[in-house]
Amino acid sequence: MLPSGLPEIVADGEDLARFLTSSSQYTARMAKPAAFLPAPKGRETSVFRHGAEPADALWAIGERIVAGSRTIHGAAVVKAGDVRASGLGVFAEEPPPRHATIRGWPWRDDDPELQKAQQKELAILVASDATLVWRFP
Amino acid sequence: MDNATERVERQRESSQALFGKKAAKIDQLWALARECADENWDGTGAAAIEIGAVLRTEGFLRALPDRVPLPELAVEPDGAVSLDWIRSPRRLVSVSVGRGSRLAFAWLDGTNRGHAVERFDGETVPGPILERIEAVVGNGDAALRAP
């Protein structure tokens, strides 16, 4: 068991929330694929093991850990099983509490553009399965 | 006005309207560049937007044929710019514009999906990218609008 009380293995049925800090990361209907692409340093995408409800708890995580001076516009919520079905991995990574990472993104030092194209295809799949949760509906 | 003059006038007005839309999209691009100018703009370790990517994106937008709808814009965690044509969550094309001339793109069209890389010379949008965009969103699709 992790310090947060969550199991060490992220179950397929668990919700993962990716916080959105820029209005450019989503449209009226969906989170854009870029919102799920990995950060270049860790080669992973940071998410939190939390669904749309309870909303107060979701936004509290966003404010406490991600926001800083930024505004949390909303979150893209996707099932861990859908991420895995895209060919990526989901792993618990605390601290901070409830934190997890999406890993296994294609990485090709010999061809960065092909690497990006492969990553985008996977990010599109994840984004198409995600549900957009507005903070300020 | 005679018919020919009317046609020219209508074309001129149409060109102005299109230029206006592109100009507004380019303004949006630069606003995004300002918003994402610092490292970690997303709170999870993203790189700052690359000015070279912004300039190349501006060139790409100018090079888009007028019949193609303008894309949604986003910044990617590595500092590249993403141009997205989204008809629905299951029908979209996403093009990544970085510093270099090779553009990564990927698409989902129902159950059909894929990715590729094409070279952009700064003047003409590569045919395979245009074909993919038009296959997914069609010409001037009204469903393709910013929030």
Side-chain angles (χ1 to χ4, degrees):
Chain A
M1 199 70 81
L2 295 166
S4 64
L6 291 171
E8 291 186 14
I9 304 297
V10 181
D12 281 349
E14 282 191 52
D15 285 323
L16 306 172
R18 171 74 171 164
F19 289 106
L20 306 171
T21 57
S22 166
S23 59
S24 75
Q25 291 177 304
Y26 56 89
T27 71
R29 289 189 289 180
M30 69 180 290
K32 295 180 188 174
F36 283 100
L37 285 170
K41 282 181 183 168
R43 300 186 173 187
E44 60 192 23
T45 303
S46 176
V47 292
F48 287 85
R49 298 166 73 182
H50 201 290
E53 298 292 342
D56 287 350
L58 174 66
W59 305 132
I61 293 170
E63 283 298 327
R64 193 171 62 246
I65 299 168
V66 177
S69 60
R70 305 163 200 87
T71 300
I72 301 289
H73 295 245
V77 176
V78 64
K79 295 285 185 195
D82 288 334
V83 175
R84 290 183 175 125
S86 303
L88 296 162
V90 180
F91 302 91
E93 194 173 296
E94 297 187 5
R98 294 184 170 272
H99 187 248
T101 52
I102 298 174
R103 294 186 221 153
W105 296 96
W107 224 272
R108 301 178 58 116
D109 292 330
D110 62 322
D111 193 338
E113 287 82 16
L114 181 57
Q115 164 192 297
K116 174 61 79 67
Q118 292 171 337
Q119 290 178 353
K120 283 178 86 74
E121 183 179 341
L122 299 181
I124 286 174
L125 291 177
V126 176
S128 69
D129 283 326
T131 302
L132 197 55
V133 182
W134 302 100
R135 186 175 183 195
F136 307 110
Chain B
M1 284 192 289
D2 60 24
N3 285 345
T5 309
E6 283 179 9
R7 275 201 303 276
V8 169
E9 181 65 16
R10 276 199 301 272
Q11 280 182 342
R12 188 185 65 79
E13 289 172 355
S14 173
S15 295
Q16 282 181 340
L18 283 166
F19 178 76
K21 286 180 183 175
K22 277 195 180 179
K25 187 58 71 173
I26 290 167
D27 285 347
Q28 186 186 336
L29 169 67
W30 284 99
L32 200 55
R34 288 190 292 275
E35 180 188 335
C36 302
D38 295 326
E39 200 170 312
N40 198 30
W41 55 265
D42 67 342
T44 62
I49 194 169
E50 293 186 11
I51 191 69
V54 178
L55 292 169
R56 190 166 289 276
T57 301
E58 182 173 337
F60 188 96
L61 291 171
R62 291 188 191 282
L64 269 179
D66 292 342
R67 67 178 188 276
V68 176
L70 292 169
E72 301 267 358
L73 301 176
V75 180
E76 298 180 342
D78 64 355
V81 179
S82 182
L83 288 72
D84 302 317
W85 286 262
I86 302 172
R87 182 163 184 159
S88 76
R90 293 275 165 196
R91 296 193 73 186
L92 65 153
V93 181
S94 185
V95 178
S96 182
V97 183
R99 278 178 303 180
S101 61
R102 295 176 75 227
L103 308 185
F105 68 109
W107 64 89
L108 176 63
D109 190 358
T111 57
N112 175 24
R113 63 187 174 98
H115 65 267
V117 176
E118 289 291 334
R119 191 172 298 279
F120 173 49
D121 63 8
E123 293 183 359
T124 306
V125 176
I129 293 180
L130 274 182
E131 287 166 17
R132 189 56 59 183
I133 294 167
E134 292 184 324
V136 167
V137 302
N139 293 342
D141 194 304
L144 198 104
R145 292 290 177 262

